[in-house]
Amino acid sequence: MIGAESIARAESAVSLQSVSPGDDDATTLGIEIYARLRRDLIAGHLKPGERLRFRQLSAAYGVGIAPLREALSRLVSDQLVRFEGHRGYTVAPLSLSDLHDLCALRTELSCNALRRSIAGGDEDWEAEILAALHRLERTPLPHSVEDRKTVDEWEQRHDRFHHSLIAACGSPWLLHFCGALSDHFQRYRRAVIVVTSSSEALLKRVREQHRTVAEAAIARDAERATTILAEHFQGSVEVVIRNYEEVSRSLSAGNGD
Amino acid sequence: MIGAESIARAESAVSLQSVSPGDDDATTLGIEIYARLRRDLIAGHLKPGERLRFRQLSAAYGVGIAPLREALSRLVSDQLVRFEGHRGYTVAPLSLSDLHDLCALRTELSCNALRRSIAGGDEDWEAEILAALHRLERTPLPHSVEDRKTVDEWEQRHDRFHHSLIAACGSPWLLHFCGALSDHFQRYRRAVIVVTSSSEALLKRVREQHRTVAEAAIARDAERATTILAEHFQGSVEVVIRNYEEVSRSLSAGNGD
DNA sequence: ATCGATATTTTGTTCGAACATCCTTGCGAT
DNA sequence: ATCGCAAGGATGTTCGAACAAAATATCGAT
């Protein structure tokens, strides 16, 4: 009954913060539960491969199955959830090959989008980058993965910074794809980085990369910006892959999952 | 009540052919109706901007609203349908800017995928291209857009040919994105090409491009293959854009849609 | 004890009805 | 005549129960 525990933990974690500050109009239970499930999927509170039973989810999130089906259906098209007729929904699995594919394409598409942004971005784009970078730098790194609030905060601002870099690319489709890849990569990152194993040197390098990319972008130095961005992604991928192998080794040793 | 007519027509068109030949196991009403709606959306039987009312859809497709909600939810994440809480679902609109974005990115990603396929494709990949090309060339072009069966057949084989070119790219994510862009482009193509206005010269050029791309791909001439493929896309886009402007002109003259 | 078939339980699927929201219509006041 | 407001109808949303399929447990035969 590991599944039930996992779902229960996901719920208790998520119910801390409300869905949105305003929480005003035009929202339905289906939309809310979609957003909550999506967050919990990406954050890894729902474990890859885990079955998503309606009764459990219904109890954990406090909604009926009608909104749940709606949310899960959308998540299937988002590739975060798998579905087999008459056999229910499961959390999409992680795999090393998927991780490699994901990262390679993300690097290509993000660099592409960054180039376009540099070519076409205006002052507001520049301002947003600086604002997002500032907020990211002032966000404390979590000392433990258990400190979910800090992890969520940092991930959100990190995402926002990377989004700000490419926001002016002028292509909604490209942004959409980059967003999808970014979400999936975050799922790997958070599933895998169990310990804050990062050395001080690594963290410093990452921070420098963020700043350098931002500077190069605003200076309209496309070559430099994309080079650093690609290096930044490459570095993250290597850390994730190293941890992935550790985690899957310990998993296969622990149980036959 | 144009909406009701459109939905009724979509249904009558789709009910001609069964969902799948075997139609055996593991399928649910939700899955079936998703596939049917998806086809009708792409084929343009459901008009852009049109409201998708549950009662109409339920009557037209002969299913309850539970499976309908499930299908429509997925289609929202597929970007084929829009949703506003408490105001229902509508067919995603078409726009010139979206068309431009779509086509530019499709060209880039498809050429990228083609390059990868050429680098890594094996004999089966080559064989599939030749098979798909052969089937496409032997498929009669529809003399009228009213001849839906022929249009569907041609579109399916055309899609399959283009898919075969990039199938060996080795990146599921890239294939997924190319597929999404291809589906959306097909929606524009079919919405807009009301008359088979294509000159004999144009058709001949398109056929030649198909054959040349296939040959260049199999000859592992990446430069030539991607150049022709990009030209091919560019040609299609120009035709679609020309027709798009005509159609939207006649639409804005006819009614205030 | 193992295998296979049947019975039971669990789980997913679908429908119909109750409920909430939005849109339209009609009325009255300025 | 126009604007604002209230009543009514249409539409979307959610739930609970009936239904169907799958997974599990039970029992008997070899």
Side-chain angles (χ1 to χ4, degrees):
Chain A
M1 291 296 166
I2 289 174
E5 283 174 38
S6 172
I7 289 173
R9 267 189 292 110
E11 164 52 15
S12 66
V14 115
S15 57
L16 289 175
Q17 57 188 36
S18 165
V19 173
S20 77
D23 206 24
D24 17 292
D25 54 324
T27 186
T28 67
L29 270 182
I31 294 174
E32 277 185 48
I33 200 64
Y34 168 73
R36 291 173 66 185
L37 281 172
R38 193 171 216 285
R39 260 207 311 272
D40 290 349
L41 252 1
I42 291 172
H45 302 148
L46 299 165
K47 294 282 175 293
E50 177 176 351
R51 284 197 66 179
L52 296 167
R53 292 191 182 83
F54 287 113
R55 200 163 292 124
Q56 283 176 28
L57 292 173
S58 187
Y61 289 87
V63 297
I65 44 180
L68 274 176
R69 289 192 80 88
E70 208 174 302
L72 290 170
S73 293
R74 283 190 63 175
L75 291 165
V76 169
S77 272
D78 289 343
Q79 309 254 80
L80 288 166
V81 158
R82 286 235 197 300
F83 172 69
E84 269 183 301
H86 297 290
R87 276 192 282 188
Y89 295 86
T90 54
V91 179
L94 303 181
S95 79
L96 205 50
S97 67
D98 181 55
L99 177 57
H100 275 114
D101 182 20
L102 197 59
C103 294
L105 196 57
R106 181 159 110 106
T107 303
E108 277 198 54
L109 295 195
S110 286
C111 285
N112 186 321
L114 177 56
R115 230 181 284 271
R116 296 197 201 193
S117 277
I118 288 172
D122 59 7
E123 294 85 1
D124 287 340
W125 167 68
E126 298 176 358
E128 255 307 312
I129 292 175
L130 289 173
L133 177 65
H134 182 73
R135 273 191 282 264
L136 176 61
E137 284 181 333
R138 300 209 43 168
T139 306
L141 277 156
H143 285 40
S144 147
V145 282
E146 301 303 320
D147 185 4
R148 281 175 175 173
K149 209 169 162 205
T150 309
V151 174
D152 285 348
E153 182 84 1
W154 189 85
E155 289 287 353
Q156 193 204 315
R157 298 196 176 190
H158 184 238
D159 243 41
R160 191 159 171 174
F161 169 67
H162 277 285
H163 176 81
S164 76
L165 287 171
I166 63 177
C169 73
S171 168
W173 278 101
L174 186 53
L175 275 177
H176 179 247
F177 292 153
C178 285
L181 293 172
S182 169
D183 286 344
H184 277 264
F185 181 63
Q186 189 183 338
R187 198 164 80 100
Y188 278 91
R189 180 150 28 89
R190 297 181 71 164
V192 139
I193 297 186
V194 177
V195 284
T196 317
S197 57
S198 329
S199 67
E200 199 53 50
L202 183 69
L203 293 175
K204 194 180 164 216
R205 201 188 61 185
V206 167
R207 266 195 294 266
E208 268 170 17
Q209 284 172 331
H210 285 150
R211 192 159 336 146
T212 313
V213 172
E215 281 168 12
I218 290 172
R220 311 285 165 162
D221 186 345
E223 272 320 301
R224 184 166 159 76
T226 53
T227 302
I228 306 286
L229 185 62
E231 276 175 22
H232 175 60
F233 285 148
Q234 192 53 35
S236 312
V237 172
E238 275 163 20
V239 173
V240 171
I241 287 176
R242 193 157 46 241
N243 283 50
Y244 185 93
E245 277 157 358
E246 272 180 44
V247 169
S248 56
R249 199 164 31 244
S250 69
L251 271 180
S252 59
N255 56 43
D257 190 11
Chain B
M1 291 294 166
I2 290 174
E5 284 174 37
S6 172
I7 289 173
R9 267 189 292 112
E11 165 53 15
S12 66
V14 115
S15 57
L16 291 175
Q17 59 188 34
S18 165
V19 174
S20 76
D23 206 25
D24 17 293
D25 54 325
T27 186
T28 68
L29 270 182
I31 294 175
E32 277 185 49
I33 199 64
Y34 168 72
R36 291 172 66 185
L37 282 172
R38 194 171 214 286
R39 260 208 310 274
D40 290 349
L41 252 2
I42 291 172
H45 302 149
L46 298 166
K47 294 281 174 292
E50 178 176 351
R51 284 197 66 178
L52 296 168
R53 292 191 181 84
F54 287 112
R55 286 202 293 132
Q56 282 176 28
L57 291 175
S58 187
Y61 289 87
V63 296
I65 36 187
L68 274 176
R69 289 190 81 86
E70 207 172 303
L72 289 170
S73 293
R74 284 191 62 177
L75 291 165
V76 169
S77 272
D78 290 343
Q79 310 252 80
L80 288 166
V81 158
R82 287 231 195 304
F83 172 70
E84 270 183 301
H86 298 289
R87 275 193 280 186
Y89 295 85
T90 55
V91 179
L94 302 182
S95 77
L96 206 50
S97 68
D98 181 56
L99 177 58
H100 275 115
D101 182 20
L102 197 58
C103 294
L105 195 57
R106 180 158 111 107
T107 302
E108 276 198 54
L109 295 194
S110 286
C111 285
N112 186 324
L114 177 56
R115 231 181 282 271
R116 296 196 201 194
S117 277
I118 288 172
D122 58 7
E123 294 85 2
D124 287 340
W125 167 68
E126 298 176 357
E128 254 307 312
I129 292 175
L130 289 173
L133 177 64
H134 182 72
R135 273 192 281 266
L136 176 60
E137 285 181 333
R138 298 210 44 169
T139 306
L141 277 156
H143 285 40
S144 148
V145 282
E146 299 304 321
D147 185 4
R148 281 176 175 171
K149 210 172 162 201
T150 309
V151 174
D152 285 349
E153 184 82 1
W154 189 86
E155 289 287 353
Q156 193 204 315
R157 298 195 175 191
H158 184 238
D159 243 40
R160 191 159 172 175
F161 169 68
H162 277 286
H163 175 81
S164 76
L165 287 171
I166 62 177
C169 72
S171 168
W173 277 102
L174 186 52
L175 276 177
H176 180 247
F177 292 153
C178 285
L181 293 172
S182 169
D183 286 343
H184 276 266
F185 181 63
Q186 189 182 336
R187 197 164 80 99
Y188 278 92
R189 182 150 29 89
R190 296 180 71 164
V192 140
I193 297 188
V194 177
V195 283
T196 318
S197 57
S198 329
S199 68
E200 199 53 49
L202 182 70
L203 293 175
K204 193 179 166 217
R205 200 187 62 185
V206 167
R207 267 194 293 266
E208 268 169 19
Q209 285 172 331
H210 284 151
R211 192 161 333 148
T212 312
V213 172
E215 280 169 13
I218 291 172
R220 312 284 166 165
D221 186 343
E223 271 321 301
R224 183 167 159 76
T226 53
T227 302
I228 305 287
L229 184 62
E231 277 174 20
H232 175 60
F233 285 148
Q234 192 53 35
S236 311
V237 172
E238 276 164 19
V239 173
V240 170
I241 287 176
R242 193 156 48 238
N243 282 51
Y244 185 93
E245 279 159 357
E246 273 179 43
V247 169
S248 56
R249 199 163 33 241
S250 68
L251 270 181
S252 60
N255 56 43
D257 190 12

